[in-house]
Amino acid sequence: MKIAPSILAADFARLKDEIDTVKEADWLHIDIMDGHFVPNLTMGPNVVKALRPHSKQFFDTHLMIHDPMRFIDAFIDAGSDAITVHYECLNNPQKVLKHIKARGIMAGISIKPETPVDVLEPLLGELDLVLIMSVEPGFGGQAFIEASLDKIQWLANKKVDANHTYRISVDGGIHEKTALQCINAGAEVLVAGSSIFNASNRSHAIRRLRHGR
Ligand code: DX5
Ligand code: ZN
């Protein structure tokens, strides 16, 4: 079980110190928003590059951007270990996945809450990571959408049936209770922003999410 603290909920004026407080988690989730695919803006590859020397964590970069092909290389050069793009903005998902994997890092696809999970069926054999959005992408601190559990379960069943190697990740509204539900459904990576960064003890919060209690 991997916990991926989302720095969207961190204090942006002190990002380096903020990531130090969550180093208990071996992944770090980095939300990139373009104000177009989602109604919010965050950061570019220069911020990822600036953080890279200060962390040994696996940089899990989530691109919520309309034209990911334009920026994938920049985010890989900046030090990302995985790049996840959104299914909803891809004309040729195979091409994008191939491009990311050819650069030697993990390739993921994410789907928004209204996108049915079975659209991913033809891609499952090529994916390293599948990211189920359990809130509408764009903002932290929203309530978990229960229907996400069925998507996680579907991916977990497919993984066993066909011996797929992708990791199942879930992003949005993850706190102790929803973490346990996601783990039981088959999630292997839990992305959490506010429940970790707003906790009085972030290490404890990470541990509680990991163990589902
Ligand atoms: C939302 C982002 C999430 C966000 C989750 O678009 O993709 O990673 O940080 O925040 P919480 O955990 O607060 O729901
Ligand atoms: Zn995210």
Side-chain angles (χ1 to χ4, degrees), residues 67-206:
D67 189 3
M69 268 308 244
R70 270 179 71 194
F71 297 103
I72 283 170
D73 282 316
F75 281 103
I76 296 174
D77 294 340
S80 299
D81 297 296
I83 297 275
T84 296
V85 291
H86 265 270
Y87 178 83
E88 296 84 3
C89 59
L90 301 178
N91 295 323
N92 188 342
Q94 277 90 352
K95 184 178 160 205
V96 178
L97 292 171
K98 210 172 152 197
H99 183 88
I100 299 169
K101 294 211 282 192
R103 297 276 328 256
I105 67 161
M106 280 172 67
I109 289 214
S110 182
I111 53 170
K112 289 181 174 187
E114 75 267 22
T115 304
V117 68
D118 54 12
V119 299
L120 298 178
E121 177 113 50
L123 301 171
L124 294 179
E126 295 159 58
L127 287 166
D128 298 315
L129 198 59
V130 184
L131 180 65
I132 297 299
M133 282 309 302
S134 42
V135 297
E136 211 46 63
F139 300 92
Q142 304 179 74
F144 181 83
I145 296 169
E146 294 276 330
S148 315
L149 295 171
D150 293 334
K151 294 182 176 179
I152 295 169
Q153 187 74 63
W154 185 90
L155 288 166
N157 292 340
K158 286 281 170 192
K159 189 173 164 169
V160 172
D161 291 349
N163 266 321
H164 289 307
T165 55
Y166 53 78
R167 278 175 188 255
I168 305 167
S169 181
V170 57
D171 182 5
I174 300 296
H175 50 74
E176 276 179 62
K177 177 173 167 250
T178 52
L180 186 57
Q181 290 175 307
C182 291
I183 293 169
N184 289 339
E188 297 151 308
V189 181
L190 304 176
V191 176
S194 42
S195 73
I196 292 175
F197 284 95
N198 295 346
S200 51
N201 186 322
R202 294 175 179 175
S203 301
H204 286 176
I206 291 166

